[in-house]
Amino acid sequence: MSEPQPIDAADLEVHPEKLKVTDQLAIEIVGMNKWYGQFHVLRDIDLTVYKGERIVVCGPSGSGKSTLIRCINRLEEHQKGKIVVDGVELTSDLKNIDKVRSEVGMVFQHFNLFPHLTILENCTLAPIWVRKTPKKEAEEVAMHFLRKVKIPEQAAKYPGQLSGGQQQRVAIARSLCMKPKIMLFDEPTSALDPEMIKEVLDTMIQLAEEGMTMICVTHEMGFAQAVANRVIFMDQGQIVEQNAPKEFFNNPQSERTKLFLSQILGH
Amino acid sequence: MADLTFVRTQMLPPQEAPGAAVGAVRWMRENLFDSWLNSVLTLVSGFAVVWIVVHIYPWFAQSVWNASSLQECRAIIQERFGEGAHGACFAVLRERWQQYLFGFYPADLYWRPTLAFFLMLAALAPVLFSGLPRRMLWFSAAYPGLAYWLLWGGSIFTPIAIYAGFVVAVLAHRAVAGRWGGLAAMIVAVAALLIWWFYLAGPVARTLAAPGFFSLRPVQSNQFGGFTLSLVIGVTGIAFSLPLGILLALGRRSDMFFVKTICVGFIEFIRGVPLITLLLVASFLLNIFLPPGTNFDIILRVIIMVTLFASAYMAETIRGGLAALPRGQYEAADALGLDYWKSMRLIIMPQALKISIPGIVNNFIGLFKDTTLVAIIALLDPLGLTTAIRADSNWNGIIWELYGFVALIFFLFCYSMSQYSQYLERKLATDHR
């Protein structure tokens, strides 16, 4: 049996003319540090994200890339520095945290759908209980996004009855139902079979073409080349290199990046 | 090389399966006689079953339902079935069954606990079966007050005054919530509730009750007994121990140091003490600590102790369910912007409780059977009554009939709970594993 082939940038159908970056601030991270006990996971992170950007974060495991994006919606707490998301600074103020979380969608590696609720209920829960949307309206919005991710016919089923790729697309639809301004993707395709990766990436491309601000931790370098406007390489809790994808892949500056790219792209 | 080609010229019609491969014969072959050891075990077990039935059957067949004492029973059995015949003396049940159901409740008022029991079934129905109209839950909410009024009698304004406490709490919450925020409103609401209950509810109820409308003849707690008492303690304990257990389980997993410490301390203390000790405290010691002259009802004290005891176990059962949930469920709920209570109520608890159903029902059944321990503090539960009946010179020496009857009734209740829990597990199985 041959190794599963990584998805090449050429396999993905992207309309580059639709990908636009604005000059409005979406996220501002200044001098952010985080420790797990004595372990310094994130060191002096500075990152400014503009609306419409598609940023791919890559790096070896344990480099802090997941922790970084989990700090943006406060699933992880930072101990030093400043994170401002859409004009709201993340502090221990619970009101601010809930406000940021309802504006920032997140897609997880293991989907994390709610197994006791149907697909439709998964999608309508947060709009109904957080946004106070009337149930009927929430259901219409949910069906709209389920059609968008191409699984409206599964609405009445439970997550356990769907394939991995379908579940991940539901997870994306669930986030979109909150009409978020920013989407975070934490290795969205790492738990999927190769033939399902593409259907999820296609959904993400569609999202990017609609102008969504996206930060994506992924090893899909094809996706990074085709969609990202910026690639960030992290190692040992630090941003080692960031550049436009073309420069990043063709002309990496740091030795650490070169080594990582040679390992991940192989051959 | 051999010829490997083959062409079928005639299709085969389906045939009957051989007798040994279907139905009862096949089942027996597979389950009872699939090896010589199992065949031997089957025969031995079959013999044991037959032997037991043969020996027990006459005890039922030669039973007596009409007699006024054990001696009379025995005389009738000897007369009918000959010297040395043994049989059950169910006459004692015929004479005392009302006592088993109602204790020393006044006989002309038996309709009140009976009505309360059937109304309880109606109140439980919408809680147990989600298919029923949700509006019926209003009756379920009103039922505790109604049952209190029916069982203990007195004025209906007593339970109404207690219910009014919740209205007072809600009003207090509303008055404060706008100005000082959620936490302050919560504290004020609880304070208002307690002030109302301890200082105002009594006078208000007495004033309203004075004209004597809607009053039933009062029945004292020491007249309660039998299965009425078991059900009052058991059902109330079950109803309150689950929510209390949920709060304790959440508290034990809380990040807030004081909440966590209090919950852990409570759970470990209550779990570490025998229930009998708590009941004795409820019965004897509590009066010492209460202001002189307060009459704190003994059944209420027992219910509180049983509830606290069961809730500590419940908390640990539910904590097991909480721990079994993947972290991702908490994170997904957080990431969608649900606050703590909403994520607990909508995401975490429905799943954690589902996982914990067998353990929760285990606790319920244990609690219900533990109600018999109140016999220790001289309350006449079914076992206490049995002792009393056996002390009667007419029925001295009777054992099997009485304890068998009590066991049978308890079994019916506990088995129904077990069956319901299995129905619920099947209904909630949505994970399609």
Side-chain angles (χ1 to χ4, degrees):
Chain A
M1 235 182 89
S2 66
E3 280 279 298
Q5 288 298 307
I7 291 184
D8 202 61
D11 298 339
L12 297 167
E13 199 182 316
V14 187
H15 305 88
E17 71 282 2
K18 288 188 184 167
L19 300 172
K20 286 191 197 99
V21 178
T22 69
D23 52 4
Q24 293 162 290
L25 269 184
I27 302 169
E28 198 183 5
I29 301 175
V30 184
M32 192 257 281
N33 281 270
K34 176 171 177 61
W35 288 264
Y36 285 130
Q38 279 302 315
F39 179 56
H40 201 170
V41 231
L42 292 177
R43 308 177 193 174
D44 271 329
I45 303 286
D46 290 303
L47 179 66
T48 308
V49 182
Y50 294 94
K51 286 186 181 160
E53 277 205 276
R54 291 91 42 208
I55 296 179
V56 162
V57 184
C58 60
S61 65
S63 60
K65 51 196 193 306
S66 279
T67 312
L68 170 62
I69 70 164
R70 289 157 60 88
C71 280
I72 295 174
N73 67 352
R74 193 75 170 191
L75 287 183
E76 303 284 354
E77 195 180 330
H78 61 280
Q79 279 89 29
K80 210 174 131 193
K82 192 169 85 162
I83 303 178
V84 181
V85 182
D86 200 38
V88 181
E89 183 174 355
L90 280 171
T91 57
S92 54
D93 184 346
L94 289 176
K95 266 193 189 139
N96 279 358
I97 294 174
D98 283 339
K99 196 169 167 197
V100 165
R101 282 174 177 169
S102 61
E103 303 296 340
V104 178
M106 184 154 198
V107 175
F108 299 88
Q109 180 178 2
H110 295 290
F111 334 132
N112 296 352
L113 294 177
F114 306 130
H116 63 302
L117 301 175
T118 63
I119 300 306
L120 188 64
E121 287 166 340
N122 263 280
C123 293
T124 57
L125 184 116
I128 290 175
W129 290 92
V130 179
R131 292 250 192 269
K132 314 278 181 217
T133 315
K135 186 168 181 239
K136 199 146 174 251
E137 193 187 324
E139 282 176 355
E140 279 163 18
V141 172
M143 286 312 292
H144 166 77
F145 284 113
L146 285 175
R147 272 192 294 277
K148 190 166 231 175
V149 300
K150 303 193 178 70
I151 31 177
E153 71 283 358
Q154 313 282 8
K157 288 193 184 165
Y158 286 94
Q161 294 167 290
L162 270 54
S163 74
Q166 289 174 322
Q167 290 196 45
Q168 194 60 296
R169 284 184 283 151
V170 171
I172 294 174
R174 177 175 73 176
S175 290
L176 293 178
C177 285
M178 286 293 279
K179 311 260 174 75
K181 295 176 177 152
I182 299 161
M183 285 285 284
L184 307 174
F185 293 85
D186 189 0
E187 305 203 23
T189 56
S190 302
L192 296 178
D193 291 342
E195 65 264 38
M196 294 173 184
I197 292 177
K198 189 162 179 297
E199 65 187 50
V200 171
L201 291 182
D202 284 338
T203 309
M204 290 166 65
I205 290 167
Q206 199 185 347
L207 214 58
E209 290 176 348
E210 285 165 14
M212 179 63 79
T213 310
M214 297 165 60
I215 303 183
C216 188
V217 173
T218 183
H219 295 124
E220 291 298 328
M221 290 304 135
F223 174 80
Q225 284 171 330
V227 181
N229 68 312
R230 214 177 346 157
V231 180
I232 292 177
F233 174 68
M234 287 184 71
D235 192 25
Q236 293 172 21
Q238 298 146 73
I239 295 180
V240 175
E241 186 165 349
Q242 58 170 317
N243 214 332
K246 208 173 248 172
E247 284 295 300
F248 181 85
F249 289 109
N250 297 338
N251 189 15
Q253 302 296 310
S254 115
E255 285 307 312
R256 193 65 198 81
T257 315
K258 283 177 197 164
L259 180 66
F260 174 76
L261 285 177
S262 72
Q263 280 166 347
I264 197 165
L265 299 174
H267 335 301
Chain B
M1 194 174 149
D3 186 9
L4 294 176
T5 50
F6 166 77
V7 179
R8 181 173 293 285
T9 51
Q10 200 180 4
M11 303 308 280
L12 299 173
Q15 290 175 330
E16 288 258 317
V22 285
V25 178
R26 175 180 157 203
W27 185 87
M28 282 176 45
R29 270 177 99 104
E30 280 184 0
N31 293 289
L32 300 178
F33 301 103
D34 63 335
S35 71
W36 67 266
L37 178 64
N38 279 359
S39 304
V40 170
L41 288 176
T42 302
L43 291 175
V44 170
S45 317
F47 179 75
V49 169
V50 170
W51 188 84
I52 289 169
V53 169
V54 162
H55 280 74
I56 287 184
Y57 175 74
W59 192 73
F60 283 99
Q62 302 172 5
S63 62
V64 173
W65 284 88
N66 272 317
S68 58
S69 71
L70 183 59
Q71 288 73 30
E72 201 185 327
C73 263
R74 287 192 176 142
I76 294 173
I77 293 167
Q78 307 290 318
E79 184 193 326
R80 274 196 212 151
F81 304 104
E83 280 296 309
H86 288 285
C89 182
F90 291 125
V92 65
L93 296 179
R94 186 189 166 93
E95 188 187 291
R96 300 296 186 110
W97 68 273
Q98 289 179 318
Q99 224 175 51
Y100 265 121
L101 295 189
F102 304 112
F104 294 101
Y105 210 87
D108 56 325
L109 299 179
Y110 280 168
W111 65 273
R112 275 161 46 180
T114 313
L115 181 61
F117 176 75
F118 286 107
L119 289 179
M120 178 187 82
L121 299 184
L124 279 178
V127 178
L128 298 182
F129 301 101
S130 57
L132 292 167
R134 295 294 84 193
R135 232 174 294 161
M136 283 175 73
L137 284 170
W138 285 106
F139 176 70
S140 310
Y143 176 77
L146 187 61
Y148 172 81
W149 183 53
L150 280 173
L151 289 170
W152 274 272
S155 165
I156 195 164
F157 292 107
T158 310
I160 287 179
I162 291 170
Y163 272 68
F166 295 112
V167 180
V168 170
V170 169
L171 290 179
H173 186 273
R174 281 210 191 140
V176 177
R179 252 171 281 169
W180 298 336
L183 187 64
M186 206 67 190
I187 293 169
V188 169
V190 171
L193 185 69
L194 294 179
I195 289 171
W196 173 269
W197 277 352
F198 284 116
Y199 297 104
L200 298 172
V204 168
R206 272 194 291 280
T207 315
L208 288 170
F213 299 129
F214 301 109
S215 270
L216 291 173
R217 202 167 97 207
V219 177
Q220 299 304 317
S221 281
N222 57 18
Q223 291 173 288
F224 279 61
F227 284 101
T228 306
L229 182 66
S230 297
L231 278 174
V232 166
I233 298 173
V235 172
T236 323
I238 285 172
F240 285 102
S241 65
L242 183 61
L244 197 56
I246 291 174
L247 290 180
L248 284 169
L250 291 177
R252 190 167 187 163
R253 289 170 65 92
S254 168
D255 296 332
M256 287 182 272
F257 178 73
F258 281 107
V259 173
K260 185 176 170 156
T261 313
I262 289 170
C263 290
V264 171
F266 177 89
I267 292 170
E268 296 300 342
F269 172 72
I270 296 278
R271 262 202 320 179
V273 176
L275 178 55
I276 291 180
T277 321
L278 294 178
L279 289 175
L280 289 172
V281 167
S283 158
F284 303 122
L285 281 175
L286 225 51
N287 273 349
I288 299 174
F289 296 112
L290 291 171
T294 35
N295 180 23
F296 198 12
D297 188 88
I298 180 68
I299 294 185
L300 183 59
R301 280 185 269 164
V302 166
I303 286 177
I304 290 174
M305 285 305 184
V306 168
T307 307
L308 294 183
F309 187 76
S311 65
Y313 281 86
M314 196 64 75
E316 289 298 280
T317 306
I318 293 168
R319 193 166 67 94
L322 288 171
L325 280 193
R327 230 172 93 95
Q329 292 292 311
Y330 294 86
E331 290 179 349
D334 284 347
L336 284 170
L338 294 165
D339 63 29
Y340 178 79
W341 290 109
K342 277 180 194 152
S343 70
M344 288 301 137
R345 186 176 132 208
L346 300 166
I347 309 298
I348 305 303
M349 272 306 154
Q351 297 184 60
L353 290 179
K354 191 184 97 183
I355 298 172
S356 323
I357 286 174
I360 290 174
V361 173
N362 211 9
N363 286 347
F364 282 170
I365 289 177
L367 184 158
F368 187 58
K369 292 190 298 182
D370 278 352
T371 58
T372 53
L373 288 175
V374 298
I376 292 258
I377 52 170
L379 286 177
L380 290 173
D381 83 300
L383 288 188
L385 275 173
T386 307
T387 316
I389 294 169
R390 289 180 58 219
D392 183 333
S393 60
N394 282 336
W395 303 111
N396 201 339
I398 207 156
I399 297 174
W400 287 97
E401 293 83 343
L402 296 174
Y403 286 115
F405 175 70
V406 173
L408 177 72
I409 304 285
F410 269 106
F411 177 79
L412 287 181
F413 279 110
C414 296
Y415 187 66
S416 338
M417 284 194 250
S418 157
Q419 285 299 303
Y420 174 74
S421 85
Q422 288 176 38
Y423 153 82
L424 198 61
E425 277 182 67
R426 279 195 302 274
K427 197 182 87 171
L428 296 180
T430 58
D431 47 0
H432 304 278
R433 259 178 224 161

